[in-house]
Amino acid sequence: MPSLLSAHGLSFELPNGRELFKNLNFSLKNEISALIGPNGIGKTCLAQLLAGELEPSAGIINRQQGVTFFSQRQSPPKISVNEFLMAHEAWSLWREKLLDGIHRESFCSNLSGGEWMRVRLANTLDDQFLILDEPTNDLDQEGRQYLIDFLTNRKEGTLVISHDRSCLQSCSHFLELSNHGLTELSGTWQDYSLFKENERAKMQKALEIATNEREAILTKRSNLKARQEKRNQEGAKKALRGGMPKILIGARQRQAQATTGKIDDQTFRQAQAAIQQAVTAFKDIKVDPMMYVDLIGHTVANQKLVAEAKNFNVYFQKWIYQNDLNFAWRGPIRKAIQGKNGSGKSTLIKSLLGHEFSTRGAIQRGNLKTIYIDQSCSMLDEQKNILENVCQFAATDKASVRNKLAQFLFVKDSVFQAVASLSGGERMRVALACAFLSHEKPELLILDEPTNNLDLPNIAFLENIIRQFCGALLIVSHDDFFLQNCNINEVFNV
């Protein structure tokens, strides 16, 4: 299979001198390839290089056909959907399905996040070689399936930057970008997952062996030193009993101390060598950053009100819910809120949070300490840095907040990065820090599409947090893998 897009010796350095990657070599063919890696590692920059939107610091990119880059985010213009799509002459059945239910005369700026994503996809997918950056973000289950069906039946090459496991299952070629460079693997998502498990197990074993050797050497060092000191003490006692002159006793003690020092120095060097071996083994494990903040939350009594709706509906040109909403949620509920794009999921959440709309019926949230993070992380101030944003929510001083930000992978001077310059996953981590470092533990956690911009390791971490969270939980998500791993066993459809 001929190469459609290839890179040789590709390197890229940011204007501030930070080197994102160096000497990458790979090729892409007529298949679905996936680009995987932790947030901030440089995946989007690599995609922009391949599309010609950025120039490499070094290396060559060969393109056998046109390449288009589909970005994660694009502000919707204040024009109608029809006007936005006017550039397209040919329409496929798949595009018609993708646009099903979207009013063509609606302004793009009035669409929901998922509807706007579907319109953008419909306007993009005619191109020959596509690079799609998180294309399933905001898509409902139907939209995701249409996209996956399109990709699997597509004849031209595609590179997908994604952490969506349902999307990754359609890929047959994987590029993993890490702090150690680029690794290529052909096969299924299951093959890639098994490769990663074996790689981690191998490196972890090497680290354990090196650590055990270091501990054994340190124990030996301690034992040798204790035995030598005991011999030194016994020799000094014998010398005193035998009437040996003090000058000779002093000389013998200095000689004994020198012997002890030699033992100390020799075993110390051995210990240091073992430590270095352990450090080397650790560095050979590719860095998959993991947040490790402790969030358990407060329990919620079984009969305590979480939220209630009575014949509730919201009016936007029409009543958005086909049937008025009626529910009474109490105690430590764990619910996923689902529905098609534009069905009113986010509107329901905002109504619970007190946003005012044109409504009928009644809705209320119980008196609970609530954490809410929406899909755009709108709680963040774009003009402020990470530390300034978190300090607005935290009850402690800046020094304490800065120390705790390490739990969210923001260390040293990285806390002074402007929020506007962060990747999607980094923004989500800042929003989580703002929420979790607030002075009160939450009773109710509300998340709106939380996995959209998180990498796979941090999705796994978030899943672990949610499994342990003992308060009430409402999650808007179409990621079935995520919901299953979070032990979400109830779905509320709107």
Side-chain angles (χ1 to χ4, degrees):
M1 189 183 295
S3 171
L4 299 178
L5 183 59
S6 61
H8 305 279
L10 188 63
S11 302
F12 186 72
E13 188 176 284
L14 296 174
N16 63 7
R18 177 191 168 200
E19 187 177 72
L20 278 184
F21 42 77
K22 184 178 181 179
N23 197 32
L24 303 185
N25 299 279
F26 60 91
S27 62
L28 302 172
K29 303 175 182 177
N30 270 340
E31 58 186 339
I32 309 175
S33 299
L35 177 58
I36 301 172
N39 295 133
I41 200 69
K43 301 186 297 298
T44 297
C45 282
L46 177 55
Q48 290 173 314
L49 287 167
L50 294 176
E53 295 185 8
L54 292 176
E55 289 296 323
S57 303
I60 299 172
I61 298 172
N62 293 317
R63 305 177 184 89
Q64 300 303 314
Q65 57 184 217
V67 179
T68 295
F69 173 61
F70 181 92
S71 62
Q72 265 188 55
R73 293 195 297 267
Q74 178 183 341
S75 297
K78 291 185 178 181
I79 59 174
S80 72
V81 172
N82 269 337
E83 290 174 307
F84 184 77
L85 298 173
M86 279 181 64
H88 274 283
E89 297 177 358
W91 289 95
S92 67
L93 176 62
W94 181 86
R95 287 186 182 82
E96 289 298 331
K97 286 183 176 180
L98 190 64
L99 294 168
D100 183 47
I102 297 177
H103 297 286
R104 306 293 177 85
E105 298 303 322
S106 299
F107 280 98
C108 296
S109 54
N110 291 335
L111 299 176
S112 71
E115 289 173 325
W116 172 230
M117 179 67 79
R118 287 162 59 193
V119 170
R120 289 181 62 207
L121 285 168
N123 202 43
T124 302
L125 294 176
D126 277 336
D127 301 284
Q128 290 182 310
F129 194 99
L130 290 177
I131 301 177
L132 304 176
D133 194 354
E134 300 289 0
T136 61
N137 276 7
D138 303 325
L139 289 182
D140 57 26
Q141 289 174 324
E142 188 176 42
R144 289 178 184 220
Q145 193 56 52
Y146 286 144
L147 173 64
I148 292 169
D149 289 344
F150 174 85
L151 294 178
T152 53
N153 289 290
R154 195 167 187 267
K155 295 180 181 179
E156 295 81 8
T158 307
L159 176 64
V160 179
I161 303 174
S162 182
H163 303 113
D164 184 333
R165 285 158 288 192
S166 61
C167 183
L168 292 172
Q169 286 186 328
S170 65
C171 300
S172 57
H173 177 225
F174 296 88
L175 302 175
E176 182 192 58
L177 187 60
S178 74
N179 60 321
H180 281 252
L182 194 75
T183 301
E184 280 193 79
L185 179 71
S186 293
T188 65
W189 170 246
Q190 286 73 22
D191 293 332
Y192 172 80
S193 299
L194 182 60
F195 167 77
K196 290 294 293 179
E197 288 177 14
N198 291 338
E199 180 187 52
R200 287 192 181 95
K202 180 181 177 181
M203 295 303 177
Q204 187 64 37
K205 185 65 177 178
L207 178 57
E208 289 174 2
I209 290 172
T211 302
N212 291 337
E213 288 179 355
R214 179 195 64 182
E215 296 303 320
I217 289 172
L218 290 175
T219 300
K220 179 181 177 182
R221 171 193 178 194
S222 179
N223 292 339
L224 284 174
K225 186 176 180 181
R227 285 199 296 270
Q228 184 61 41
E229 287 178 349
K230 185 177 180 180
R231 284 195 293 267
N232 293 346
Q233 292 171 0
E234 290 175 351
K237 289 178 182 178
K238 287 179 181 178
L240 287 171
R241 287 197 299 269
M244 183 179 293
K246 288 185 178 181
I247 191 171
L248 293 179
I249 293 175
R252 180 173 287 188
Q253 286 177 337
R254 287 191 293 274
Q255 183 180 7
Q257 287 169 355
T259 301
T260 302
K262 287 180 181 178
I263 293 173
D264 219 23
D265 185 58
Q266 180 184 3
T267 54
F268 180 74
R269 286 199 302 271
Q270 290 174 314
Q272 283 297 97
I275 289 171
Q276 186 57 49
Q277 185 180 354
V279 170
T280 301
F282 179 77
K283 285 183 177 179
D284 283 341
I285 301 177
K286 293 174 185 174
V287 175
D288 286 333
M290 293 287 287
M291 298 178 293
Y292 52 91
V293 64
D294 177 25
L295 174 70
I296 301 301
H298 286 306
T299 57
V300 177
N302 288 336
Q303 294 306 312
K304 189 167 185 179
L305 178 66
V306 175
E308 185 174 25
K310 294 180 179 179
N311 301 319
F312 178 73
N313 216 322
V314 179
Y315 190 82
F316 289 129
Q317 298 180 333
K318 65 176 183 177
W319 297 105
I320 64 173
Y321 302 119
Q322 186 173 0
N323 298 305
D324 292 349
L325 302 183
N326 287 278
F327 57 80
W329 298 334
R330 297 180 182 276
I333 60 169
R334 302 177 69 83
K335 287 186 180 291
I337 298 175
Q338 294 188 333
K340 290 186 176 182
N341 291 135
S343 62
K345 301 182 297 296
S346 295
T347 300
L348 172 57
I349 294 298
K350 290 176 181 178
S351 297
L352 286 171
L353 293 169
H355 290 236
E356 293 187 2
F357 301 107
S358 178
T359 65
R360 68 185 179 203
I363 192 168
Q364 65 172 322
R365 187 181 85 246
N367 184 24
L368 302 173
K369 169 59 181 176
T370 302
I371 285 179
Y372 167 63
I373 302 176
D374 65 16
Q375 53 193 294
S376 61
C377 301
S378 59
M379 66 197 298
L380 302 180
D381 187 332
E382 299 282 332
Q383 304 308 314
K384 293 184 178 180
N385 62 38
I386 295 169
L387 182 60
E388 290 169 336
N389 266 277
V390 179
C391 283
Q392 292 182 132
F393 294 85
T396 55
D397 57 77
K398 276 192 176 183
S400 299
V401 170
R402 188 172 179 180
N403 289 334
K404 290 180 179 179
L405 276 172
Q407 294 180 300
F408 298 86
L409 309 179
F410 298 115
V411 297
K412 299 181 179 179
D413 289 343
S414 67
V415 302
F416 300 118
Q417 287 179 271
V419 165
S421 70
L422 300 179
S423 68
E426 289 168 328
R427 289 169 59 88
M428 175 59 75
R429 283 194 273 120
V430 178
L432 289 169
C434 290
F436 298 165
L437 296 182
S438 59
H439 62 283
E440 289 185 73
K441 289 286 187 180
E443 297 172 289
L444 172 61
L445 181 61
I446 303 177
L447 302 174
D448 193 350
E449 297 288 2
T451 62
N452 271 1
N453 298 306
L454 288 184
D455 54 29
L456 289 169
N458 281 322
I459 289 175
F461 167 79
L462 187 57
E463 290 169 348
N464 184 57
I465 280 183
I466 293 173
R467 280 196 301 270
Q468 296 180 58
F469 183 69
C470 58
L473 182 67
L474 296 174
I475 300 181
V476 178
S477 177
H478 299 290
D479 187 336
D480 287 338
F481 286 93
F482 174 71
L483 294 174
Q484 182 179 350
N485 291 337
C486 291
N487 296 333
I488 305 299
N489 46 26
E490 294 183 73
V491 175
F492 182 78
N493 288 300
V494 295

